[in-house]
Amino acid sequence: MIPVTRPFSPPIEEYHELLQGIWQRSWFTNNGPLVNDLELKLKRYLGIKHLLYLGNGTIAIQIALKALKIDKEVITTPFSYVATTSSLVWEGCTPVYVDIHPESLNIDPTKIEVAITKNTQAILATHCFGNPCDVEAIQEIADKYGLKVIYDAAHCFGTKYKGESIFRWGDISTTSFHATKLFHTVEGGAVFTKNPELLRVMAYKRNFGHKGFEDFHGVGINGKNSEFHAAMGLVNLKYIGSILERRKKQSLFYDKYLGSQEFQKVQIQHGSEFNYAYYPLRFESEAVTKKVKQSLESAEIFPRRYFYPSLGTLNYVSPPCTPIADENSARILCLPLYHDLSEMEQKLICRKILRTINYNS
Ligand SMILES: *Cc1c(COP(=O)(O)O)cnc(C)c1O
């Protein structure tokens, strides 16, 4: 069986070693030494001054919205994982969808201004598949209208823009360290900000609002993560170089094998260093996409329709007009991509795809 992704599993002895320390200290959670160490090492690796390690990438978006006091209209993308929209709705915000650009699959900045109303407070955009949004254009609009910017950078570990981590952009960037992501801590996430005051507020919010044992800064939630999760992160971080390198190699391998066909590849933002987090393929129609998926599944290969359906079709939002997102989400498949996927398996996948397409045409 070949799944779309499989978590990176480091050598178990290295994880055991850190577990021993956790046992000796009997300190399992609540801002323990491994959580602190992971935060420090992540800052160093990413070249980022402020971050908070959190329970997951969804709570990261929710804490960001709460910290920025966003509770009205938020301009967002219809082409992302459901958590981008659900965390808005969960926080009492109204998602206002702006269509994506067909080349980048990211929110189209030229369509943002017409969607702004007097109730618009923020833009929540996803760097889809690890490909940076047009962050400069988005920031310009935000500055012009006094809007906050939050990036859902769940796919972006290792992505750089103009030589620096993409997590530096926006008032707050969030990410996920879920087991399906390229760098993971089993469950986990983080927020990034340049603003020390925002960081302070989010640190309170992460821990029930506690300001000491008996005093509270304001409303908070349980957004913490544990020593066990941090331990996984610390071990995995040692392998991040080889994880990124391998993804790149595998992606180029797919490129080469599928190169004879026109797949309308996603255009990576100019000036960025891509992390090869996903391998999306765009087919000519939904019918072909389904046919390819079926034929792969019959061989026990399981690509995923990331991201289908388009978020504007969720039954708890008002349906927007986002034809480009709808149309693209219907014909994109993400191919299997994970650390120990072999070239032989990749060849098998490519052969199946090419055979199905060529029958079809
Ligand atoms: C994975 C993901 C999330 C959610 O992260 P969790 O850690 O699973 O809560 C949010 N947004 C996007 C775009 C994602 O891919």
Side-chain angles (χ1 to χ4, degrees):
M1 202 267 276
I2 306 177
V4 69
T5 185
R6 192 176 274 164
F8 176 77
S9 312
I12 197 165
E13 311 77 54
E14 296 186 29
Y15 189 63
H16 269 155
E17 213 168 290
L18 291 180
L19 287 187
Q20 306 245 326
I22 298 177
W23 247 255
Q24 277 157 16
R25 288 186 294 274
S26 284
W27 189 348
F28 287 3
T29 187
N30 285 2
N31 211 24
L34 297 187
V35 163
N36 277 302
D37 195 27
L38 179 63
E39 288 186 337
L40 194 77
K41 293 203 163 101
L42 285 173
K43 284 182 216 174
R44 213 177 282 154
Y45 175 76
L46 296 165
I48 281 215
K49 204 162 160 199
H50 302 302
L51 68 84
L52 294 170
Y53 179 49
L54 302 174
N56 58 66
T58 307
I59 203 74
I61 303 172
Q62 290 177 221
I63 287 179
L65 290 165
K66 268 280 192 301
L68 293 168
K69 301 194 171 77
I70 308 292
D71 56 6
K72 294 197 179 80
E73 287 178 14
V74 178
I75 288 177
T76 190
T77 174
F79 193 64
S80 182
Y81 183 58
V82 67
T84 314
T85 282
S86 65
S87 35
L88 281 173
V89 176
W90 195 275
E91 289 300 320
C93 306
T94 308
V96 175
Y97 295 97
V98 164
D99 212 350
I100 57 172
H101 194 283
E103 280 174 6
S104 67
L105 302 178
N106 288 326
I107 198 165
D108 185 343
T110 65
K111 296 182 177 157
I112 290 179
E113 280 193 82
V114 294
I116 295 174
T117 73
K118 62 178 192 324
N119 289 322
T120 309
Q121 295 175 311
I123 300 167
L124 169 59
T126 301
H127 304 297
C128 197
F129 299 137
N131 181 28
C133 291
D134 188 344
V135 286
E136 276 145 5
I138 291 172
Q139 193 58 53
E140 210 168 287
I141 297 164
D143 290 343
K144 184 169 163 193
Y145 292 90
L147 307 178
K148 301 292 184 194
V149 180
I150 301 172
Y151 285 110
D152 180 345
H155 304 162
C156 289
F157 201 88
T159 294
K160 289 182 179 171
Y161 180 64
K162 294 191 172 168
E164 295 182 324
S165 171
I166 192 69
F167 297 146
R168 296 170 76 102
W169 284 83
D171 293 279
I172 299 174
S173 262
T174 68
T175 199
S176 165
F177 301 137
H178 184 255
T180 53
K181 308 300 204 257
L182 154 169
F183 168 76
H184 79 89
T185 70
V186 187
E187 291 277 354
V191 282
F192 307 86
T193 180
K194 287 193 261 327
N195 181 333
E197 176 55 23
L198 264 182
L199 186 85
R200 204 175 63 90
V201 170
M202 290 193 288
Y204 288 131
K205 298 222 174 288
R206 159 174 78 168
N207 188 28
F208 306 98
H210 267 295
K211 190 178 179 181
F213 285 117
E214 297 174 4
D215 193 15
F216 292 90
H217 174 266
V219 66
I221 196 164
N222 185 355
K224 292 178 272 101
N225 214 333
S226 80
E227 292 290 278
F228 295 81
H229 293 86
M232 182 64 99
L234 284 165
V235 178
N236 285 346
L237 194 57
K238 291 201 249 170
Y239 294 91
I240 188 63
S242 82
I243 291 172
L244 288 167
E245 209 171 285
R246 187 144 174 87
R247 293 238 169 191
K248 177 169 182 182
K249 202 163 155 243
Q250 289 165 329
S251 299
L252 297 180
F253 189 88
Y254 273 138
D255 283 351
K256 193 178 96 191
Y257 256 78
L258 300 168
S260 55
Q261 299 286 326
E262 272 298 315
F263 285 112
Q264 303 168 33
K265 295 219 21 156
V266 177
Q267 291 300 308
I268 302 304
Q269 174 73 32
H270 190 73
S272 60
E273 216 171 287
F274 185 48
N275 64 354
Y276 301 91
Y278 294 82
Y279 197 90
L281 264 196
R282 187 155 34 180
F283 297 93
E284 64 180 57
S285 67
E286 181 165 25
V288 175
T289 310
K290 283 181 165 164
K291 205 166 257 177
V292 170
K293 184 163 177 270
Q294 246 167 27
S295 116
L296 288 171
E297 282 172 356
S298 70
E300 296 282 294
I301 300 163
F302 298 95
R304 278 284 296 271
R305 297 184 77 181
Y306 288 144
F307 292 100
Y308 179 84
S310 174
L311 296 176
T313 63
L314 289 166
N315 66 6
Y316 49 83
V317 303
S318 16
C321 177
T322 52
I324 298 174
D326 299 350
E327 185 277 298
N328 275 279
S329 97
R331 59 190 183 96
I332 291 176
L333 274 187
C334 280
L335 299 191
L337 193 62
Y338 50 89
H339 197 73
D340 36 9
L341 180 71
S342 70
E343 283 196 353
M344 227 168 66
E345 290 169 316
Q346 286 194 274
K347 264 187 211 167
L348 177 73
I349 295 165
C350 294
R351 257 190 251 121
K352 276 254 156 213
I353 294 172
L354 293 176
R355 211 174 295 150
T356 312
I357 291 177
N358 293 332
Y359 262 122
N360 211 68
S361 51

